[in-house]
Amino acid sequence: MEIYEVSMSFVETIYKLTRNFPEEERYCLISQMRRAAVSIPSNIAEGNGRGHLKEYLHFLYNARGSLMELRTQIDISKRLGYLKEVDYSSLIESYERLRTMLINLISSIRRKSISKSG
């Protein structure tokens, strides 16, 4: 599934970029960003494996929440000077792509769910 691969690449990017953050952020911002990033593909995979559309939607909403949480942490990292402008711009571009993919997948699953129940 393309969304899963895109989200996995996003995790890799987050891990690589946070390696350059100050050591003092190891148990704060770095940990939070990595956990939020890992949560995205994890929720997509778990939801897909559940077998029921309603459960799949639940996990997709969780993935979207983690993505939005990560966006906040990316913005904080930029404000604190931990991210270069080029890295920040690249992350935001990846964020927007993944957000759009999630929104589209959620809409598609919702339509399928409605048509099955109707």
Side-chain angles (χ1 to χ4, degrees):
M1 202 167 19
E2 183 184 5
I3 191 169
Y4 178 78
E5 290 302 323
V6 169
S7 65
M8 290 294 282
S9 293
F10 198 49
V11 171
E12 289 178 66
T13 302
I14 292 295
Y15 266 75
K16 287 174 186 170
L17 289 174
T18 56
R19 283 185 197 137
N20 300 320
F21 283 24
E23 181 65 25
E24 67 195 45
E25 292 294 349
R26 177 179 226 172
Y27 300 107
C28 292
L29 195 54
I30 294 170
S31 177
Q32 286 183 314
M33 289 178 75
R34 289 177 174 184
R35 281 182 293 140
V38 167
S39 178
I40 299 164
S42 298
N43 275 292
I44 292 168
E46 185 170 358
N48 190 43
R50 290 294 177 133
H52 293 77
L53 294 178
K54 188 174 181 180
E55 287 181 286
Y56 193 12
L57 273 174
H58 171 77
F59 284 94
L60 290 175
Y61 286 128
N62 286 345
R64 187 180 67 178
S66 293
L67 181 63
M68 296 181 84
E69 176 185 349
L70 185 53
R71 169 60 197 260
T72 300
Q73 295 157 353
I74 291 167
D75 288 343
I76 290 168
S77 299
K78 173 71 168 80
R79 285 176 173 241
L80 295 174
Y82 300 158
L83 287 173
K84 298 175 190 168
E85 184 61 44
V86 65
D87 293 330
Y88 175 78
S89 295
S90 176
L91 281 174
I92 297 306
E93 193 174 297
S94 296
Y95 162 84
E96 288 296 341
R97 179 174 183 218
L98 191 49
R99 186 180 74 83
T100 299
M101 291 175 81
L102 263 173
I103 288 169
N104 291 339
L105 182 55
I106 288 168
S107 295
S108 172
I109 300 298
R110 286 180 70 191
R111 281 192 302 275
K112 285 179 188 175
S113 180
I114 290 168
S115 68
K116 273 191 166 187
S117 64

